[in-house]
């Protein structure tokens, strides 16, 4: 133990907030455009981490060179956070390299201030910093990778279930086509009516297959990007307007008014993913409107909740969803009993849920038959 290490540890505790800011600033300079930058939330954690590193510097290292379990916990938490933020191992390593450099410079600066310090003591402190940083990096990356592996595992399971459901769904229209083809191969239609029936069956089957393919494409769209920073970040109000504009034709054709809250909080959102979710939700609200009502509307509102999450509500005065259907609407291929007559794949809300979850958020629904339906999306702010 030397008093210089005590001094550096004390000074480090005093300067932890300042050093954290310095780290974030320097990081912002070296992060290539397109990479996600650690957000304010990471900045919240960093002072705690520096506090722990200070502990490593002042405490005499035990024979095994162990670092306190609190440091490891903090590192694991960081690993989980960076995984949620969709960082890469490369980014984490770069962030820690930079932190190590800042801390070493800090220690050297302290030595220069306390000019009576023997060089050996300063070297010892730098070694301790180095050791703490190495353990920390290892623990963070380990957690990151195990989170990552779990995600991949979940996705594989997911994909298998999905493929099974998909082949099941495609079998219907394909069987119809096969039967119609066999019938036509045997003999010509006997009447104009029969001919029309067969053509309708062919058209229906083809349309259904195309709708499935289209939804499939949407699901693949954001799944394939899970390991990289998500889509482009744009201002929320612009994103809401873009979705409403795109659905204006469909809304007009069904005599449904789309009302977008014009007091959207000024935050940025991942346009690609959010658009996918909103398009499906507003599309449903239009599709399942209540034709018995004179004024039909779907309303989109946005606010920041008490929990500092972004809340988007999509409410309509449509037919509503039966209570027993509510828990199942987000399941893939689920279609409400009362709405079977209306074309659909049952994938829309599964797409919504996946899209929202890929942003670290959640989606909920409440509904009352005859009154209408409200979907609420809660999203963490990306800052
Ligand atoms: N806004 C809504 N109003 C009434 N029912 C809805 C609404 N949104 C979804 N539903 C019900 O949930 C089911 C699942 O929706 P979705 O996954 O989008 O599939 P699809 O629209 O292709 O049937 C629909 O079949 C419908 O019964
Ligand atoms: Mg739908």
């Amino acid at each position: 133990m030397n008093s210089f290490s005590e001094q550096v540890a004390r000074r480090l505790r005093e300067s932890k907030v300042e050093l954290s800011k310095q780290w974030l600033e320097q990081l912002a300079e070296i992060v290539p455009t397109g990479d996600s930058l650690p957000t304010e939330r990471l900045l919240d954690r960093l002072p705690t981490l520096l506090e722990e590193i200070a502990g490593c510097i002042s405490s005499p290292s035990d024979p095994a060179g162990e670092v306190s379990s609190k440091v490891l916990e903090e590192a694991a938490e960081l690993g989980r956070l960076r995984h949620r933020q969709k960082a890469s191992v490369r980014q984490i390593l770069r962030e820690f390299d930079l932190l190590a450099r800042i801390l070493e410079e800090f220690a050297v600066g302290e030595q220069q201030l306390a000019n009576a310090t023997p060089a050996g003591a300063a070297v010892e402190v730098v070694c301790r910093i180095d050791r703490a940083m190495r353990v920390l990096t290892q623990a963070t990356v380990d957690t990151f990778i195990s989170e990552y592996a779990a995600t991949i595992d979940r996705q594989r399971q997911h994909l298998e279930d999905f493929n099974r459901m998909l082949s099941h769904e495609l079998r219907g229209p394909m069987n119809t086509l096969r039967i119609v083809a066999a019938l036509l191969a045997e003999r010509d239609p006997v009447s104009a009516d029969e001919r029309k029936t067969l053509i309708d069956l062919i058209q229906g089957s083809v349309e259904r297959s195309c709708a499935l393919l289209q939804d499939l494409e949407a699901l693949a769209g954001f799944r394939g990007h899970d390991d990289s920073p998500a889509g482009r970040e744009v201002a929320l109000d612009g994103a809401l307007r873009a979705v409403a504009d795109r659905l204006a034709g469909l809304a007009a054709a069904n005599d449904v008014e789309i009302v977008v809250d014009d007091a959207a909080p000024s935050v940025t959102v991942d346009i690609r993913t959010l658009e996918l979710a909103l398009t499906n939700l507003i599309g449903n609200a239009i599709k399942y409107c209540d034709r018995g009502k004179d004024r039909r509307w779907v309303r989109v509102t946005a606010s920041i909740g008490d929990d500092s999450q972004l809340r988007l509500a999509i409410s309509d005065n449509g037919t509503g969803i039966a209570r027993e259907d509510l828990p199942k609407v987000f399941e893939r291929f689920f279609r409400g009993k009362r709405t079977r007559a209306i074309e659909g794949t049952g994938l829309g809300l599964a797409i919504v849920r996946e899209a929202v979850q890929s942003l670290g958020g959640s989606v909920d629904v409440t509904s009352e038959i005859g009154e209408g339906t409200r979907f609420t999306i809660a999203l963490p702010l990306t800052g």
Side-chain angles (χ1 to χ4, degrees):
M1 166 72 65
N2 62 54
S3 59
F4 179 60
S5 60
E6 290 273 315
Q7 178 198 324
V8 174
R10 182 174 46 78
R11 289 273 302 126
L12 181 57
R13 286 193 181 97
E14 285 166 10
S15 321
K16 61 188 178 190
V17 174
E18 201 182 304
L19 286 172
S20 302
K21 285 203 181 117
Q22 197 182 331
W23 171 79
L24 196 66
E25 274 163 24
Q26 290 192 19
L27 197 64
E29 283 170 24
I30 61 164
V31 166
T33 48
D35 272 5
S36 69
L37 195 71
T39 56
E40 297 292 315
R41 244 169 310 151
L42 186 52
L43 194 58
D44 284 348
R45 301 214 75 88
L46 208 62
T48 322
L49 195 68
L50 291 181
E51 184 90 31
E52 295 302 321
I53 295 175
C56 298
I57 295 173
S58 62
S59 73
S61 60
D62 66 38
E66 293 265 320
V67 171
S68 87
S69 61
K70 267 188 85 183
V71 183
L72 297 180
E73 267 166 41
E74 198 52 40
E77 198 42 57
L78 257 181
R80 281 189 283 274
L81 176 66
R82 295 304 281 137
H83 177 257
R84 283 200 299 278
Q85 294 177 328
K86 297 194 160 76
S88 65
V89 170
R90 183 178 52 92
Q91 276 175 285
I92 295 176
L93 290 177
R94 191 174 49 203
E95 286 156 23
F96 275 144
D97 277 351
L98 188 64
L99 183 59
R101 207 169 335 132
I102 289 175
L103 290 180
E104 280 163 20
E105 273 168 20
F106 180 76
V108 170
E110 288 298 310
Q111 191 222 0
Q112 281 160 359
L113 284 181
N115 44 18
T117 309
V123 170
E124 171 64 20
V125 166
V126 170
C127 282
R128 285 181 193 178
I129 291 175
D130 189 47
R131 190 159 47 225
M133 284 307 298
R134 249 183 299 132
V135 173
L136 204 67
T137 308
Q138 188 68 43
T140 307
V141 170
D142 280 354
T143 314
F144 180 85
I145 288 176
S146 59
E147 289 282 310
Y148 200 76
T151 306
I152 290 173
D153 222 41
R154 261 198 313 274
Q155 282 176 348
R156 193 180 42 84
Q157 182 62 47
H158 216 64
L159 205 62
E160 277 171 16
D161 291 350
F162 184 73
N163 286 344
R164 227 167 275 136
M165 282 303 281
L166 180 66
S167 43
H168 172 81
E169 284 300 308
L170 274 173
R171 210 166 288 144
M174 291 305 142
N175 274 338
T176 308
L177 287 173
R178 202 180 39 190
I179 292 164
V180 173
L183 258 172
L184 284 172
E186 240 168 61
R187 58 173 175 79
D188 285 335
V190 284
S191 65
D193 268 3
E194 195 190 10
R195 193 180 121 84
K196 182 167 184 319
T197 307
L198 294 181
I199 289 177
D200 282 352
L201 280 171
I202 294 175
Q203 274 175 343
S205 302
V206 170
E207 264 161 31
R208 181 153 181 75
S209 309
C210 286
L212 272 168
L213 288 178
Q214 203 183 346
D215 281 352
L216 228 51
E217 221 174 304
L219 272 173
F222 62 88
R223 270 223 194 125
H225 290 81
D226 236 354
D227 56 344
S228 60
R232 202 161 44 93
E233 295 275 323
V234 300
L236 175 65
D237 58 346
L240 294 182
R241 239 177 295 119
V243 178
D245 285 351
R246 200 138 57 78
L247 291 169
L250 183 67
N254 287 278
D255 222 348
V256 175
E257 188 189 354
I258 305 181
V259 188
V260 178
D261 180 12
D262 50 10
S266 54
V267 293
T268 59
V269 289
D270 174 340
I271 177 89
R272 184 185 48 181
T273 316
L274 198 65
E275 230 185 70
L276 197 58
L278 288 174
T279 305
N280 272 297
L281 290 176
I282 301 175
N284 276 347
I286 297 171
K287 199 158 89 167
Y288 303 117
C289 66
D290 186 344
R291 289 175 201 284
K293 287 176 189 152
D294 286 343
R295 245 200 92 223
R296 307 197 274 268
W297 48 259
V298 45
R299 187 170 295 141
V300 184
T301 57
S303 60
I304 309 251
D306 294 340
D307 52 2
S308 313
Q309 296 220 349
L310 174 62
R311 256 193 189 56
L312 293 167
I314 298 87
S315 21
D316 63 53
N317 68 339
T319 55
I321 302 172
R323 190 155 299 174
E324 67 268 26
D325 282 354
L326 271 182
K328 291 180 267 182
V329 288
F330 292 104
E331 285 172 17
R332 281 159 294 178
F333 301 108
F334 176 81
R335 304 220 58 219
K337 277 177 228 42
R338 299 152 41 89
T339 58
R340 292 269 159 83
I342 302 171
E343 265 308 307
T345 62
L347 285 176
L349 291 178
I351 293 175
V352 171
R353 190 178 56 179
E354 297 230 8
V356 170
Q357 284 179 350
S358 82
L359 298 176
S362 60
V363 55
D364 267 320
V365 59
T366 55
S367 187
E368 207 62 61
I369 290 286
E371 296 288 320
T373 304
R374 168 192 284 256
F375 285 90
T376 313
I377 296 177
L379 288 178
L381 293 173
T382 44

